[in-house]
Amino acid sequence: AAGAAGAAGDANGSSANSTRVAVEVRPKVDTQHFTPTGPVQERPCVVAPAAGRFDDNYAKWKKFDADAALLELDNEDTTEEGKTMRLSAGQGSAMLNCEGYTKDREEYDLDQDIERNMGGLKKIIAQNFKDASGLKAEGNELMRSGQVAGAIQKYQAGLDTLHLAREASVLMSASLAAKQSSLVADLYKNLSAAQLKSNDFTAALSSADAAIQACDDEKARYRRAMALLRLKRIPEARKEAEALAAGDPAVQTLLAEVAACS
């Protein structure tokens, strides 16, 4: 019993003097699909450029010729002689257009300049048309009131106003060019009539010829025949008069005058 008690006592003593260790078992972490929690502090990776690299790149950019690069693109699939040639003709003008040819730098720069200024040019031409039409109307009013010298000035001013439009006619559409030619012809015909009234027959003939060149019609031919008659160039006046519509009373009067001078 004593032995048993001693053994028990040893066992109890041993149990009383022993240290217990708690072991926490954590689950296994999947490092491949781990998502961190909490605040994240970014630490960007800064790589210092090689010495002089920035200066070299800037120098290349500064020397880059964008227009030359665009010209090279424009000239792709072109030839020196061109691939197509087109001929178009209008009243008093003709244009030969070559397509698919290789442009040089000067022509490319000119095309760019025209494209940049085309919008402004259209506005100027439109205003010129409006101003010239107004001057024509003022001249007609002066003619009706017998102020021939003033009418001549208005018609001439209208023609001067259309100078830019006449120079730029090759750039116009067919309809706009026809409108320009018609207005120019009207101003010249009216100017010729006013010059006949003022007995300036040489100037009247010149204005009639200019009207015919701009837009050939019966009225311009009539003005020319009248100017030739007043200048005593009877054979030429007869030829012009006989080509006009015989049923027109004004033409009949003209033919009678030519016959009387023969």
Side-chain angles (χ1 to χ4, degrees):
D10 291 342
N12 291 335
S14 175
S15 174
N17 295 328
S18 65
T19 303
R20 293 181 180 181
V21 179
V23 178
E24 183 180 357
V25 178
R26 296 181 179 181
K28 184 178 181 181
V29 178
D30 185 358
T31 56
Q32 293 183 349
H33 302 87
F34 175 70
T35 302
T37 59
V40 177
Q41 184 178 1
E42 296 185 1
R43 298 181 181 277
C45 180
V46 179
V47 180
R53 179 68 60 84
F54 178 80
D55 292 337
D56 291 343
N57 290 337
Y58 177 76
K60 289 178 182 179
W61 172 81
K62 192 173 182 180
K63 292 178 181 178
F64 178 70
D65 191 339
D67 287 335
L70 291 172
L71 176 59
E72 185 176 352
L73 289 173
D74 282 349
N75 283 334
E76 286 184 354
D77 196 29
T78 62
T79 64
E80 291 289 339
E81 297 80 13
K83 293 186 173 182
T84 307
M85 296 188 72
R86 303 180 189 278
L87 176 63
S88 58
Q91 185 69 34
S93 66
M95 187 184 335
L96 184 64
N97 187 26
C98 182
E99 300 176 0
Y101 68 95
T102 303
K103 297 180 182 180
D104 58 20
R105 181 59 181 269
E106 182 179 1
E107 184 172 3
Y108 173 81
D109 290 341
L110 178 61
D111 287 344
Q112 294 299 306
D113 188 51
I114 291 174
E115 186 175 348
R116 282 192 298 269
N117 294 289
M118 185 58 71
L121 179 61
K122 288 181 178 179
K123 291 180 181 178
I124 293 172
I125 290 176
Q127 186 61 48
N128 287 349
F129 279 3
K130 183 178 179 180
D131 293 343
S133 296
L135 289 165
K136 173 190 167 185
E138 291 176 20
N140 292 346
E141 188 63 32
L142 290 170
M143 278 290 286
R144 282 191 287 269
S145 63
Q147 301 179 58
V148 178
I152 289 174
Q153 291 179 355
K154 294 295 183 181
Y155 295 141
Q156 189 60 62
L159 290 166
D160 293 342
T161 300
L162 288 176
H163 175 73
L164 176 61
R166 293 159 70 183
E167 293 294 327
S169 61
V170 294
L171 302 175
M172 297 178 184
S173 64
S175 60
L176 188 60
K179 179 180 178 182
Q180 180 264 145
S181 297
S182 178
L183 182 54
V184 168
D186 286 347
L187 285 164
Y188 270 124
K189 285 182 286 188
N190 292 2
L191 177 60
S192 180
Q195 289 165 335
L196 284 169
K197 285 275 188 181
S198 65
N199 296 325
D200 191 352
F201 304 131
T202 301
L205 177 61
S206 177
S207 296
D209 287 338
I212 292 170
Q213 185 176 3
C215 186
D216 195 351
D217 62 12
E218 287 268 312
K219 186 179 286 187
R221 292 286 176 179
Y222 177 81
R223 299 276 187 264
R224 187 173 195 276
M226 286 294 296
L228 289 169
L229 177 61
R230 299 291 182 260
L231 289 169
K232 307 300 182 183
R233 293 164 59 174
I234 306 304
E236 294 174 80
R238 182 186 301 108
K239 181 178 179 181
E240 284 289 348
E242 290 176 348
L244 299 173
D248 190 329
V251 175
Q252 293 176 356
T253 302
L254 174 61
L255 287 170
E257 288 188 49
V258 170
C261 293
S262 299

